[in-house]
Amino acid sequence: MTEFDDDDLVRMYRDGDADAFDALFDRHHATAWRFARAILGDGDGAREVLQESFLAVARTARTYTPRARFRSWLLRIVRNRALNLLAAEKRRREALAARGSDGAGVAAAEPSPADHAIAGERRERVRAAMAALPESQRQALALHAFERLKYREIAEVLEVPINTVKTLIRRARAALGKALEDDDG
Amino acid sequence: MDERAERELSAILSEIRPAPLPAGELLAVRRALSAEVRGAGAPEVMTLPEVAEFLRIDEADLGEILDELPAFELAGRLRVRRARLVEWIEHRERTWRHAAGARTVGAATRIGKGVA
């Protein structure tokens, strides 16, 4: 399946080739997972979003327009689902707070075991600063820094102009840079 | 930010990139998707009895819709691809909705004209 591009695989899947769908999953699940995690912060929610997003791809592959860049289409689905989950979690927390409950909120970004082993003060500052960014800045930065997406593709995913993407990333990096400067004292 | 700070920030961002989904969880996601994509039980190429079972109708009733089904002949027997059958169902759904809309408009028009 390595010689087929994403559009080929979608066409093959539409024609009944389930293995083509598997190839699309293999190619893109890691990116989808990391983006969901960047938005949600916690792993459980990100896994749910990953599965739901690919289910949506399976069910709506007929609506995908070739030349629309499959990865951008997939990441828009991931983003929408993650934001819906975030909104649902927020409503749940507000409901719990209204009842005076100590219900746990959405987990902040969880360091992996490897990060615990080699955790540095400055790394944690950047992680915390990133979690505190406005949603749109965090998403733009995650796609740029973690996935190495070009501005044009980030613009497609976030459905904003390219110049807006550049501004979001610049502001995000400035905020993270300030967090490091504050650490310098 | 100066160049040194930019480089440090870029390096840290690479280090805090989210770790991959654990293998066991990835396998669980794959299995769930496979059930959906492969239609858990429904083969990709179906015989007429399997089509009847999929549509939840008696095999005898298939004769009424045989001309409409997206079937193909193989070794003297008819077969239907599951993906095409799903598309055919969706087409019938759209046709039904369109007709339902026309029936609603028609009913509203008759009511408006005082016709029961």
Side-chain angles (χ1 to χ4, degrees):
Chain A
M1 293 284 180
T2 53
E3 69 274 24
F4 299 116
D5 66 19
D6 290 343
D7 285 352
D8 292 332
L9 292 174
V10 173
R11 272 190 283 268
M12 290 160 67
Y13 170 62
R14 277 184 189 150
D15 289 340
D17 187 342
D19 290 343
F21 180 87
D22 290 347
L24 284 168
F25 180 80
D26 288 343
R27 204 176 271 183
H28 297 291
H29 75 80
T31 296
W33 157 256
R34 283 191 296 265
F35 187 41
R37 275 216 64 170
I39 295 174
L40 293 168
D42 81 287
D44 287 343
R47 178 197 151 173
E48 182 184 330
V49 164
L50 172 70
Q51 184 167 318
E52 285 185 6
S53 297
F54 273 95
L55 275 175
V57 166
R59 291 168 183 162
T60 62
R62 262 174 298 282
T63 66
Y64 169 70
T65 310
R67 297 194 315 274
R69 207 197 308 266
F70 175 84
R71 184 169 62 179
S72 304
W73 180 60
L74 169 65
L75 291 178
R76 279 199 298 276
I77 295 173
V78 168
R79 178 171 172 260
N80 288 337
R81 273 165 171 64
L83 291 177
N84 286 344
L85 190 61
L86 216 53
E89 263 301 309
K90 186 181 172 200
R91 286 193 296 272
R92 189 185 73 86
R93 285 201 314 277
E94 286 169 352
L96 287 172
R99 293 206 300 267
S101 166
D102 285 334
V106 171
E110 299 167 4
S112 69
D115 288 322
H116 277 301
I118 57 172
E121 176 76 21
R122 294 173 79 68
R123 195 175 299 121
E124 291 313 305
R125 276 188 172 267
V126 170
R127 194 194 305 280
M130 189 162 178
L133 285 173
E135 193 57 53
S136 53
Q137 287 183 24
R138 184 166 70 254
Q139 291 173 31
L141 183 63
L143 291 173
H144 184 65
F146 295 160
E147 307 310 323
R148 309 279 192 263
L149 263 59
K150 300 261 191 317
Y151 292 142
R152 179 175 300 279
E153 191 172 354
I154 298 173
E156 288 173 6
V157 175
L158 301 185
E159 298 179 292
V160 297
I162 292 178
N163 283 340
T164 301
V165 170
K166 293 178 181 175
T167 300
L168 289 171
I169 292 171
R170 187 174 61 248
R171 287 179 181 168
R173 289 184 68 93
L176 269 53
K178 187 168 186 316
L180 285 176
E181 273 176 29
D182 291 347
D183 186 45
D184 287 336
Chain B
M1 261 191 294
D2 61 25
E3 204 175 304
R4 186 201 64 82
E6 286 278 1
R7 280 200 303 272
E8 184 190 10
L9 178 58
S10 294
I12 292 176
L13 284 169
S14 294
E15 290 167 10
I16 67 171
R17 193 181 190 224
L21 183 62
E25 294 187 49
L26 182 61
L27 185 57
V29 171
R30 279 182 189 280
R31 284 185 177 139
L33 291 172
S34 188
E36 168 73 22
V37 167
R38 289 169 171 78
E44 285 189 44
V45 176
M46 302 159 78
T47 63
L48 290 186
E50 286 167 342
V51 169
E53 186 182 343
F54 188 85
L55 295 174
R56 300 172 74 84
I57 61 175
D58 293 331
E59 230 179 291
D61 295 332
L62 264 185
E64 296 176 19
I65 57 171
L66 206 52
D67 286 342
E68 300 176 38
L69 284 177
F72 64 97
E73 191 207 329
L74 190 65
R77 296 181 184 278
L78 288 181
R79 294 286 182 268
V80 178
R81 226 170 354 158
R82 181 176 177 271
R84 291 285 174 265
L85 186 60
V86 170
E87 286 175 8
W88 177 78
I89 292 170
E90 288 169 354
H91 172 72
R92 287 187 69 107
E93 286 172 344
R94 285 193 294 274
T95 306
W96 171 259
R97 279 200 295 272
H98 179 73
R103 286 193 294 273
T104 302
V105 169
T109 302
R110 287 196 297 279
I111 290 170
K113 288 181 178 175
V115 177

